[in-house]
Amino acid sequence: MAAADELAFHEFEEATNLLAQTPNETTTRSDQLGPKGHVAVAMDSGGSYGAEDEVEESDKTELLQEEKPQPGFWTFGYYQSFFDVDTSQVLDRIKGSLLPRPGHNFVRHRLRNRPDLYGPFWICATLAFVLAITGNLTLVLAQRRDPSIHYSPQFHKVTVASITIYCYAWLVPLALWGFLRWRKGVRERMGLYTFLETVCVYGYSLFVFIPTVVLWLIPVPWLQWLFGALALALSAAGLVFTLWPVVREDTRLAAGVLLSVVVLLHALLAMGCKFYFFQPLPPEPMASPHQATSQPTATVLPPTLPRSVAA
Amino acid sequence: MFFLSQQRPLELTKEQKCKRIMTFAGLSDISIPQDIPVEGEITIPVRSRIREFDSSTLNESVQNTIMRDLKAVGKKFMHVLYPRKSNTLLRDWDLWGPLILCVTLALMLQRGSVDSEKDGGPQFAEVFVIVWFGAVTITLNSKLLGGNISFFQSLCVLGYCILPLTMAMLVCRLVLLAEPGPINFMVRLFVVIIMFAWSIVASTAFLADSQPPNRKALAVYPVFLFYFVISWMILTFTPQ
């Protein structure tokens, strides 16, 4: 009984304190206490606060809203806030990244300043696996045409692919964000994106490479280059249109350098993937099988060895 | 938990009974004065049987213990093979089944002799890492999206649903003993596709209900990717 009394007293004291601060609040007695033992205070619809009333009232409500403890980064709830998206929202964001338009800033229009981590993480994972799998498939198809090519599962490519993609999609936004922050320190009129928004932009911009990589299975070289260029154009355009409003305030030199570095890195990624995972296969079965499989970054056709030496 | 013995009912006045009910219902501001005598008999049934049960699991033979666990694992295998909406997999989760399946799969994916280190199929450690870290990542993903399934329950379901793919691996290894050729490949492809679909159906039967309705696709897609990668590893397995 004494314990129950103590709890009851504690409850009422807190509730009366809260009531004294804002007379319009109603407290509901709930059996579940909040994470720090506070009574859950039910506020009537938040919309009514912003619209009307004196500055004093809105100040107090702002105080109360901030009193709701922001979960620390060691709690699960903190990370849960980054996965607060529905299926339709994710699909909408993917569509936005596939069709960039000059006026539409991806961060403002699609993300609406609520970045999520679901998209970047799973798009990178999918891209890494698709790269490794289709790279392996091209080897299978090549072996169909030329039985002397030695086929092997090449499982190490999965590791290489995933490390490359994840490093690109997380370290380059980090560098970009750091650079933008530094420039903002120098010229204060520049806008800024948070780190998560930058990661989101980069992650969703990589989505267009997934169908491109699958289309790279078609063994027609000029078609592969066409698809690659198209994907690069779409992806880089998305990045540039998103970064332009932020970088516009800076000097033209800095803006130009930044945007061209971003596009260049993107192009390097695309070409690196193409050459590493889809080594250009010899048009005639003249290249030795040993060299075809052991030189992953061959951009030039390996010199043909006499067949007797190779066999 | 105790209940009053049936033999001698309590003699309570009507007022006392009312006060009792009100206290039980949680209205704590009604205080019962200290001087009301409360009497009755408390008997705890099955007490002697509980003590017997406790010592019996300690004293039973090893064979009994192992058989009991094996039967539980076997029962869950049956639930995976004939997926119905039942709670057995979720309620009594265990990780023995996933461990057995993962080790079997990893052992079967080994090649006899590796001609070059770099170009081989997945090593034992790679398969293990993909299966377990993949399952952990999917579980974390579904929890972060707001699903109300516990961590180990989800690991249990994902691990048990590898069973069809392990069976596909067995069939593939048997088929590969025969002549290589396009028919060989077609048979393997067909078997792997069927088992892949079976795995997906089995795991979504257990996992889909725990997600909020507008995020089901977001939670199921990583499961699809996970089993797709495992199927790919099985399909590209070549013995030499």
Side-chain angles (χ1 to χ4, degrees), chain A residues 9 50 61 103 116 124 176 186 229:
Chain A
F9 180 71
T61 56
D116 70 299
C124 289
L176 182 66
V186 171

Side-chain angles (χ1 to χ4, degrees), chain A residues 76 79-80 83-87 90 118 121-122 125-126 129 133 136-137 150-156 159 293, chain B residues 111 115 118-122 126 130 137 141 143-146 214-215 217-218 221-222 225 228-229 232-233 236:
Chain A
F76 195 69
Y79 297 103
Q80 219 166 6
F83 280 77
D84 197 13
V85 278
D86 295 337
T87 312
V90 171
Y118 179 90
F121 184 78
W122 287 109
T126 312
F129 282 119
I133 289 178
N136 206 355
L137 263 178
H150 170 68
Y151 166 75
S152 60
Q154 293 178 319
F155 194 74
H156 67 284
T159 323
T293 54
Chain B
R111 294 152 63 102
D115 44 0
K118 285 183 57 154
D119 268 357
E126 283 168 340
I130 283 192
T137 310
N141 177 62
K143 282 187 81 77
L144 283 168
L145 282 173
N214 49 354
R215 294 181 187 184
L218 291 186
Y221 170 71
L225 189 64
F228 184 77
V229 169
W232 179 258
M233 289 198 296
T236 59

